[in-house]
Amino acid sequence: MAKLPALIEALSKYDPRGENAVENLTREMRRGGLISQGKRGLGAPDMTSTDVTNMLFAMATRQAKDAPEAVRKLRAGILNAKWTEEGQGRVDEFLDGLRDPLIGRGEGGFCRAGLFVDALFDELARHHSIAMPDNRPQPSFSLEILDPFTGTAAVKVIFRAGWQDEVSLIFNVTDGNDPFGIQQSAIIPDEVVHSLGWLLRARQ
């Protein structure tokens, strides 16, 4: 079962600030109610897809104290742009082929970044792949957090299959140009995302 120390260790491998910085982020996220609460040690709760999403979003912040506010705003980002370089099919068909019904549907009729990424991690944890119709190639996915100073704060989810097929979805954060502590264009590559999917799979 994947516990919080395992998640911290996994994230620390990819954060140049080191394990102490990830632990500081985790403490702030726990205080903010954005990480599963419970006992420590053997009785600690298993990590969920939401915990993983929240910690990845938190890693885009400059300082640990900024993490809870930033994560809440990033989770609330609304899907408002679809862009594709996919050789065959349309973006809507791509999304319809995913297994989890949460994908493409969100509270208030909007697709929200937090629920969307949660559902993708659930998909990876259950199947270690993202299902596609008609035996099409299994895509990888990566994330990019866009700094408000570069325009509109946003979460960008990028799917790739092979060298050319790509689908990008952009979830805009609706607080204008409020920086809320995000680093400049934080990129979370598919290697990180899929390793965390393996970590969640350990709890299945």
Side-chain angles (χ1 to χ4, degrees):
M1 297 294 186
K3 308 291 186 181
L4 182 56
L7 178 58
I8 292 172
E9 180 182 1
L11 292 173
S12 298
K13 293 177 182 177
Y14 302 104
D15 192 324
R17 296 170 294 185
E19 188 168 336
N20 286 341
V22 177
E23 288 176 346
N24 288 338
L25 276 176
T26 303
R27 280 193 288 272
E28 292 296 330
M29 294 289 283
R30 285 176 67 94
R31 290 191 189 107
L34 291 164
I35 292 290
S36 295
Q37 305 288 322
K39 298 179 180 178
R40 298 180 184 273
L42 294 177
D46 295 325
M47 293 293 95
T48 68
S49 59
T50 299
D51 293 325
V52 172
T53 300
N54 288 352
M55 283 302 298
L56 281 179
F57 286 177
M59 289 177 71
T61 57
R62 289 190 180 92
Q63 299 182 56
K65 67 181 180 61
D66 298 324
E69 178 189 8
V71 168
R72 290 189 180 94
K73 290 181 177 180
L74 291 171
R75 286 192 65 86
I78 297 172
L79 178 64
N80 80 334
K82 301 176 182 180
W83 176 77
T84 181
E85 282 188 356
E86 196 178 22
Q88 296 180 347
R90 295 180 296 108
V91 174
D92 289 339
E93 292 172 352
F94 177 93
L95 296 176
D96 289 343
L98 300 175
R99 289 188 185 98
D100 198 308
L102 272 177
I103 298 176
R105 189 183 74 233
E107 58 181 295
F110 297 108
C111 184
R112 302 278 180 170
L115 285 176
F116 187 89
V117 178
D118 292 349
L120 290 174
F121 273 117
D122 278 334
E123 180 91 343
L124 287 176
R126 286 196 297 266
H127 309 287
H128 197 59
S129 66
I130 297 171
M132 292 300 297
D134 304 324
N135 297 315
R136 291 170 60 193
Q138 299 290 335
S140 64
F141 85 92
S142 58
L143 299 172
E144 186 173 353
I145 311 298
L146 303 180
D147 181 0
F149 285 130
T150 66
T152 301
V155 177
K156 186 176 181 181
V157 183
I158 305 160
F159 298 92
R160 289 189 179 91
W163 289 102
Q164 294 182 336
D165 290 351
E166 179 174 300
V167 174
S168 296
L169 306 177
I170 299 174
F171 297 80
N172 276 1
V173 178
T174 55
D175 271 8
N177 291 325
D178 174 14
F180 59 83
I182 296 297
Q183 297 190 58
Q184 184 175 2
S185 196
I187 297 171
I188 303 165
D190 59 355
E191 175 188 3
V192 177
V193 168
H194 285 262
S195 70
L196 295 174
W198 270 113
L199 185 68
L200 284 172
R201 189 172 174 81
R203 69 178 172 84
Q204 298 299 306

